[in-house]
Amino acid sequence: MNEQSTKLARIRVLLDEAGVEAIWLRLASSFAWATCGHSSYINTASSTGAASLLVTRTGQYVITNNIEEPRLAGEEGLAAAGWEFPAAQWYEGRDLVAELANGAPIGADMATAGAVDLGAAVSRLRTSLLPEEGVRFRELGRLCAAGMDEAIRGVKPGMHEQEIAGLLAAAVQRRGVQPIVVLIATDERIFKYRHPLPADKRLDKYAMLVLCGRRQGLVASVTRLVHFGPLPDELKRKQEACAKVDAAFIYGSRPNVTLGDIFAQAQATYAATGFADEWKLHHQGGPAAYEPREYLGLPGSQEEVRQGMVLAWNPSITGTKMEDTILVGPAGNEILTAIPGWPTIPVAIGDGVIERPAILVVE
């Protein structure tokens, strides 16, 4: 089976498991997953798009109106891929889902009146990536890394945080990647906030750039930091500790290992490096696919890593952070957002060494 037919088959297995006759995929992330990378969104601030999907036991439908149908059917190629378009006029207010379901029980990928909430199950389907998605993720990671590298090397003292955000957003958008999360902090704000929206502040010596970039529905995450002038000893100590934690996350992320076991090893590494409670101050990441994190890695989680899964771990110790997107391969893990030529910290773990990104120091 090809990618499209494999996904439809998996959806119909879910129908059987949930005891419903159809599923309504409303989220933009689910739309992109089920259509193999196509886009339903218009307003990028909304988690739902201007179109959705209804998959029944025998049919596959794009639920939209006459405004969106020409682009989705033609330019996005969904009609040729076998999707049907029972489009309504934009002013009619027809309930196409109710018409097509005809009173049968349905599920949905988010809380929806009259439907069984199958959001968690659909999220796990989205993380079961096929080889074609792995290829697309590699390209996305490369583009995000190139955009981050270009932007952060263009940062200069005196720049406004909003200006830095603009550099990063432009660098990835120009490469065909949509910047859905851009976080910027400089100097003391790096030590105060884990999710720093760009603020009305200018850079003195230290900047953190955080990106979640989306292309063909998939989302990759990457963080890098730059310091102007000699790096203080305390920051050196913290970045080395953070590198050890990050390496523990990456090393442990192998098929059939639970997220809980990976998390426990990372907690032990936090403690061993002298920062036992830092993990409590921010989530540590988890499986990624069509959302920046489809779900989080948590203490005690029995969710297992699978070959082909993509994860984005993001350990942090107050004042520093590490984040890359990795692909779990058959023999090892591939860092998709690695930046060629970036300074690294080698961490000996297991029988090898994992290179983690250092703070870029500009003298």
Side-chain angles (χ1 to χ4, degrees):
M1 292 193 292
N2 64 19
E3 181 182 355
Q4 179 74 89
S5 59
T6 298
K7 289 178 175 178
L8 288 170
R10 289 179 177 181
I11 290 170
R12 289 176 174 131
V13 169
L14 179 57
L15 298 186
D16 289 335
E17 293 173 346
V20 295
E21 295 301 313
I23 187 166
W24 186 14
L25 300 176
R26 300 179 60 195
L27 295 172
S29 53
S30 297
F31 188 102
W33 167 72
T35 61
C36 309
H38 294 286
S39 302
S40 66
Y41 60 83
I42 299 299
N43 176 2
T44 59
S46 175
S47 58
T48 57
S52 59
L53 303 173
L54 187 75
V55 179
T56 69
R57 295 184 182 277
T58 58
Q60 58 190 80
Y61 306 95
V62 178
I63 308 301
T64 191
N65 57 39
N66 64 305
I67 301 172
E68 307 305 327
E69 180 184 4
R71 179 181 65 83
L72 293 167
E75 189 172 59
E76 294 282 343
L78 295 185
W83 293 90
E84 297 182 57
F85 282 79
Q89 299 299 309
W90 67 266
Y91 50 82
E92 287 181 329
R94 287 171 59 194
D95 188 342
L96 293 174
V97 171
E99 291 178 20
L100 291 166
N102 195 28
I106 70 169
D109 61 347
M110 60 185 291
T112 301
V116 178
D117 188 350
L118 299 176
V122 174
S123 180
R124 280 152 182 78
L125 286 180
R126 293 196 301 259
T127 65
S128 297
L129 299 172
L130 297 171
E132 297 93 331
E133 292 167 298
V135 171
R136 296 198 292 270
F137 239 131
R138 286 189 182 93
E139 179 64 5
L140 169 62
R142 185 187 70 79
L143 294 170
C144 286
M148 173 64 79
D149 192 37
E150 175 189 318
I152 201 166
R153 291 182 187 275
V155 170
K156 299 291 186 292
M159 279 187 172
H160 197 281
E161 286 187 6
Q162 298 288 1
E163 184 181 0
I164 296 171
L167 282 179
L168 182 55
V172 294
Q173 187 76 65
R174 191 165 57 249
R175 289 171 167 83
V177 175
Q178 184 184 46
I180 62 172
V181 175
V182 173
L183 303 177
I184 306 294
T186 58
D187 306 304
E188 72 279 359
R189 294 189 72 237
I190 302 174
F191 295 80
K192 293 174 67 176
Y193 308 115
R194 260 30 183 211
H195 285 157
L197 296 176
D200 186 18
K201 183 190 176 304
R202 293 189 180 276
L203 165 64
D204 181 17
K205 291 184 177 181
Y206 190 30
M208 177 173 72
L209 284 67
V210 181
L211 170 71
C212 296
R214 179 167 65 184
R215 181 175 182 267
Q216 296 174 305
L218 298 168
V219 182
S221 301
V222 57
T223 295
R224 292 294 185 269
L225 299 101
V226 59
H227 191 280
F228 295 88
L231 199 64
D233 289 342
E234 182 66 4
L235 268 183
K236 288 180 184 178
R237 185 172 79 93
K238 286 184 173 182
Q239 76 162 352
E240 289 169 1
C242 200
K244 291 178 180 179
V245 176
D246 200 18
F249 272 121
I250 295 171
Y251 179 78
S253 299
R254 298 300 299 146
N256 305 316
V257 179
T258 69
L259 296 181
D261 286 344
I262 299 167
F263 203 100
Q265 187 56 53
Q267 285 176 302
T269 309
Y270 269 116
T273 57
F275 297 97
D277 292 329
E278 285 282 332
W279 68 270
K280 298 178 181 179
L281 302 179
H282 188 238
H283 75 73
Q284 302 297 295
Y290 292 84
E291 300 281 356
R293 305 295 186 276
E294 293 284 358
Y295 46 92
L296 295 178
L298 295 171
S301 171
Q302 295 303 302
E303 296 281 351
E304 291 187 349
V305 173
R306 301 180 299 278
Q307 183 177 318
M309 179 179 273
V310 165
L311 299 104
W313 297 113
N314 49 261
S316 60
I317 294 173
T318 302
T320 190
K321 176 188 174 187
M322 293 192 182
E323 181 178 34
D324 272 310
T325 302
I326 67 169
L327 174 65
V328 179
N333 295 334
E334 183 179 348
I335 300 173
L336 301 180
T337 48
I339 298 176
W342 191 270
T344 60
I345 300 169
V347 179
I349 188 167
D351 296 326
V353 173
I354 295 178
E355 301 282 348
R356 300 312 303 128
I359 299 167
L360 177 65
V361 176
V362 181
E363 300 290 352

